Amino acid sequence: MNKDIYEIIDKLKNTHSLTKEEYLVLIKGRNPDTTELLMKYANEERKKYYGKEVFLRGLIEVSNICKNDCYYCGIRKSNPNCQRYRLTPEDILMCCKEGYELGFRTFVLQGGEDGYFTDDILCELIKNIKKDYPDCAVTLSLGERSKESYIKLKEAGADRYLLRHETADKNHYEILHPPSLSYDERMRCLKDLREVGFQVGCGFMVGSPGQTDEHIAGDLKFIEEFKPDMCGIGPFIPHKDTKFKDAKAGSVALTCYLLSIIRLIHPTVLLPATTALGTMDETGREKGILSGANVVMPNLSPKEVRKKYMLYDNKLSDGAESAQAKEELKRRIESIGYTISTSRGDVYKKD
């Protein structure tokens, strides 16, 4: 395809839509000039809806027990070296209490697919969080569940649900996951979450094993068509106890480039600068924000379990990743011209 890449960037800026082939041209045409131009346009779009605010979410990693065996994940069920833990509902409520006192108004409950967290336990927990902190949003990131389960969680008061699609290509999905997990089921869950009324988040790893530029172009087209309220992308980082332990890590620069593109695809999307970015690059979080991201999720989990939620090697959990170091995070974000907001930070809804 010979279409000039700058024409394609202008088309994306003006229409928020490209063909898969045009997304591929953008990916293959990444260079300092296209990177700078996409960053400029992405920041212009983000500022229209969110100004210079970066929303903080308090992340609570509720359990690293998981029934699944995803080939890339450090908490996969067959990893014998993973030190397992599970927070009790009382532990989680204590995390929320500390987070509320620190100024957080969104709590993100994330964990492996741990059978302990039944609908009854989760619904009671969500109701208690909402009762104690009615001005707060509750986000869940607890994997694949039935539509009936999603309905119950929504009715209990949960506001948002994050479920990364990981890849929009079925064959690539099967490279990353065991036969017990299916691409069709993942897509069913995302569709159900949208129908139930959640603010829904999807996302993928950049540079995951077997990923091609064509796969990334497909992911961008999927994001364009699905229009998630949130989209989490971060560089793939290998874990020493998985089959991909020797695989090459993903690129911070490409991840930031894609953040700019996603902001232009869906200008009102809530876009995190992920922990993986900060793990791979000391200023990765700042680079993500400068590329169009507007969410960071410091860790509110109890200090004694943070090192156990090791999805990939060397995952950050302290320093500016820690919720208790909010002032350090505030300083770093202000140093690049942005401000932190501890409001609920709901997705902007156009009239």
Side-chain angles (χ1 to χ4, degrees):
M1 185 170 180
N2 296 319
K3 193 178 233 184
D4 181 84
I5 191 166
Y6 295 99
E7 287 179 39
I8 292 173
I9 291 173
D10 280 342
K11 178 183 173 186
L12 178 61
K13 175 177 179 279
N14 293 321
T15 69
H16 314 298
S17 174
L18 297 175
T19 65
K20 185 176 172 182
E21 291 71 27
E22 287 168 333
Y23 284 124
L24 186 58
V25 172
L26 272 193
I27 295 160
K28 289 185 179 296
R30 178 169 64 95
N31 62 45
D33 290 339
T34 55
T35 298
E36 188 176 341
L37 186 60
L38 283 164
M39 279 176 67
K40 175 178 177 287
Y41 288 161
N43 281 308
E44 286 171 0
E45 286 296 319
R46 185 256 308 274
K47 285 172 187 172
K48 279 185 199 174
Y49 303 104
Y50 298 110
K52 292 204 165 189
E53 284 192 317
V54 175
F55 300 114
L56 295 194
R57 320 294 202 200
L59 177 63
I60 305 169
E61 293 162 335
V62 300
S63 172
N64 71 352
I65 297 166
C66 190
K67 69 179 184 182
N68 294 330
D69 223 6
C70 303
Y71 295 146
Y72 50 83
C73 184
I75 66 170
R76 61 195 303 249
K77 71 174 182 183
S78 65
N79 179 5
N81 300 317
C82 181
Q83 294 178 281
R84 304 292 175 177
Y85 76 88
R86 173 190 296 135
L87 301 184
T88 65
E90 292 73 25
D91 293 332
I92 296 165
L93 286 169
M94 283 301 296
C95 293
C96 293
K97 181 175 186 294
E98 181 181 14
Y100 193 84
E101 289 167 357
L102 286 168
F104 290 86
R105 294 298 179 264
T106 287
F107 303 118
V108 181
L109 276 52
Q110 182 180 78
E113 292 194 21
D114 179 350
Y116 167 82
F117 287 102
T118 60
D119 291 342
D120 288 346
I121 286 174
L122 282 174
C123 288
E124 182 70 17
L125 175 60
I126 293 162
K127 286 174 184 173
N128 282 329
I129 295 172
K130 284 290 193 172
K131 174 172 66 72
D132 292 345
Y133 313 106
D135 55 333
C136 291
V138 173
T139 301
L140 304 176
S141 182
L142 299 169
E144 295 180 354
R145 303 174 79 93
S146 68
K147 187 172 187 178
E148 292 68 32
S149 173
Y150 292 146
I151 289 169
K152 288 177 184 175
L153 298 176
K154 185 74 177 68
E155 288 177 346
D159 302 279
R160 310 177 187 131
Y161 204 104
L162 309 176
L163 182 66
R164 285 193 178 197
H165 67 282
E166 301 301 1
T167 173
D169 181 276
K170 188 170 185 174
N171 291 331
H172 186 219
Y173 194 92
E174 290 168 3
I175 290 172
L176 300 173
H177 300 89
S180 56
L181 292 170
S182 89
Y183 171 82
D184 292 338
E185 179 69 4
R186 182 60 55 102
M187 291 297 154
R188 187 275 302 168
C189 288
L190 284 167
K191 178 170 169 284
D192 286 350
L193 287 163
R194 171 66 53 76
E195 288 178 358
V196 165
F198 276 105
Q199 292 178 37
V200 185
C202 66
F204 62 96
M205 294 175 289
V206 178
S208 61
Q211 188 182 65
T212 63
D213 289 344
E214 285 77 9
H215 290 143
I216 297 173
D219 286 317
L220 295 175
K221 192 65 185 175
F222 170 76
I223 289 163
E224 178 194 312
E225 292 171 348
F226 184 69
K227 286 191 170 52
D229 300 291
M230 302 154 283
C231 186
I233 70 167
F236 164 75
I237 304 174
H239 188 287
K240 60 183 177 5
D241 296 317
T242 68
K243 68 182 282 186
F244 295 130
K245 64 180 185 290
D246 297 320
K248 183 183 174 187
S251 157
V252 169
L254 177 57
T255 301
C256 290
Y257 188 75
L258 295 172
L259 284 170
S260 296
I261 293 172
I262 292 168
R263 173 63 65 197
L264 290 171
I265 289 171
H266 190 16
T268 60
V269 72
L270 293 164
L271 202 54
T274 57
T275 302
L277 273 176
T279 298
M280 282 197 67
D281 183 322
E282 192 178 343
T283 59
R285 184 191 300 100
E286 289 90 330
K287 287 176 180 174
I289 293 166
L290 290 168
S291 300
N294 67 330
V295 173
V296 290
M297 297 200 288
N299 202 318
L300 267 177
S301 308
K303 286 188 176 69
E304 63 272 16
V305 304
R306 288 181 193 171
K307 296 290 186 190
K308 298 177 182 177
Y309 200 82
M310 200 57 64
L311 303 178
Y312 45 81
D313 287 345
N314 305 312
K315 175 175 168 281
L316 290 184
S317 60
D318 49 21
E321 278 304 320
S322 164
Q324 291 75 13
K326 196 176 87 174
E327 285 308 307
E328 163 69 2
L329 185 58
K330 179 173 183 281
R331 183 190 66 74
R332 290 176 66 163
I333 288 172
E334 287 177 350
S335 76
I336 57 170
Y338 289 82
T339 59
I340 63 169
S341 168
T342 46
S343 69
R344 277 175 52 114
D346 288 302
V347 66
Y348 184 95
K349 293 292 185 189
K350 294 182 181 178
D351 295 332

